[in-house]
Amino acid sequence: MNPENVRIRLKHLKLKPFHFLSQLDIARLWDRVIRRTSLPLAFSQGFNPRPRISFGPALALGIQSFSEYVELTFQKPVSPERVFFLCRRELPNEMRPVEAIKLLPSAPGLIKATRGITYRFIFTGSYQERPVSLETPWLVEWDKPVLARNSFMLSFVFIGKDIQLSPIKFSTYLKEQLSFPSPTEIIKANVLFES
């Protein structure tokens, strides 16, 4: 990698109706957004140069997110504020960036830096008290439920190698093994990075 290259990590939303876009569609979207901004994006070397855009773990279709990340590498110095402003202008509100930071050259990429992902599972109906420790075959932490009028929400943090665990498979596990109802909605709430 060229030492003059600048890496910017953008946090953005992925809300309805864009929660049905696949990871490939998201990659195409970001490629077009950056082209429209005329920012000096860096390209890979070789016979078929590709834009230097990378993403965190792919999100399953149908899940909304308040915490999606894209990492952009630029061939010339550019400020995070400028990238944030120009990308926000080009994206719909449901996909808008909410944060931009400049990374150190030695900072690990998105996948390597990700240590955990928090998902919120929203269920319809009343909540019956569950055991404090939720025994699963995966390394998962869960928070106390948030109770609402006709529903309740549980937050689960998928840790370490289990960040790749599909929240849809996990909801099936909750239903079949622990007699939870099926969630009405699953939301990716947060990504935990190594410090």
Side-chain angles (χ1 to χ4, degrees):
M1 184 167 116
N2 186 336
E4 293 179 12
N5 285 351
V6 175
R7 289 168 54 209
I8 306 285
R9 185 176 289 165
L10 270 175
K11 178 180 180 181
H12 69 91
L13 305 176
K14 186 181 175 188
L15 305 176
K16 292 178 182 175
F18 298 98
H19 66 311
F20 286 118
L21 290 179
S22 71
Q23 188 64 33
L24 185 58
D25 293 329
I26 295 294
R28 287 185 192 128
L29 173 98
W30 275 103
D31 183 41
R32 290 178 180 147
V33 165
I34 297 303
R35 287 174 196 263
R36 283 195 306 260
T37 64
S38 298
L39 288 165
L41 193 65
F43 283 79
S44 63
Q45 302 298 310
F47 181 72
N48 187 18
R50 304 306 246 151
R52 300 276 311 271
I53 301 174
S54 59
F55 301 90
L59 188 63
L61 285 180
I63 296 178
Q64 295 186 80
S65 177
F66 291 105
S67 196
E68 286 300 287
Y69 287 88
V70 60
E71 198 172 282
L72 308 163
T73 303
F74 299 99
Q75 58 188 346
K76 294 179 184 170
V78 61
S79 72
E81 295 80 16
R82 180 169 167 72
V83 174
F84 178 86
F85 172 76
L86 291 174
C87 290
R88 188 171 181 131
R89 189 181 67 190
E90 296 296 331
L91 286 162
N93 220 19
E94 298 84 3
M95 289 286 294
R96 73 183 179 278
V98 292
E99 180 183 63
I101 60 167
K102 182 178 177 180
L103 298 172
L104 296 172
S106 62
L110 277 170
I111 297 287
K112 256 189 178 172
T114 303
R115 292 292 166 250
I117 299 176
T118 304
Y119 289 99
R120 292 184 183 142
F121 290 73
I122 300 170
F123 301 90
T124 306
S126 62
Y127 174 79
Q128 288 95 25
E129 195 62 45
R130 303 286 173 178
V132 176
S133 67
L134 181 65
E135 295 297 325
T136 71
W138 307 287
L139 186 55
V140 172
E141 295 176 357
W142 72 316
D143 296 328
K144 292 191 176 183
V146 175
L147 306 174
R149 188 174 200 164
N150 294 319
S151 64
F152 63 96
M153 178 182 71
L154 293 173
S155 291
F156 296 92
V157 182
F158 295 76
I159 302 166
K161 63 179 174 50
D162 295 319
I163 61 170
Q164 297 291 359
L165 177 65
S166 165
I168 294 169
K169 286 183 182 176
F170 188 70
S171 67
T172 302
Y173 173 83
L174 289 175
K175 182 178 181 180
E176 292 174 357
Q177 302 297 321
L178 303 173
S179 302
F180 273 86
S182 292
T184 55
E185 196 167 9
I186 303 172
I187 300 168
K188 182 178 174 185
N190 194 19
V191 176
L192 309 172
F193 291 109
E194 66 180 22
S195 45

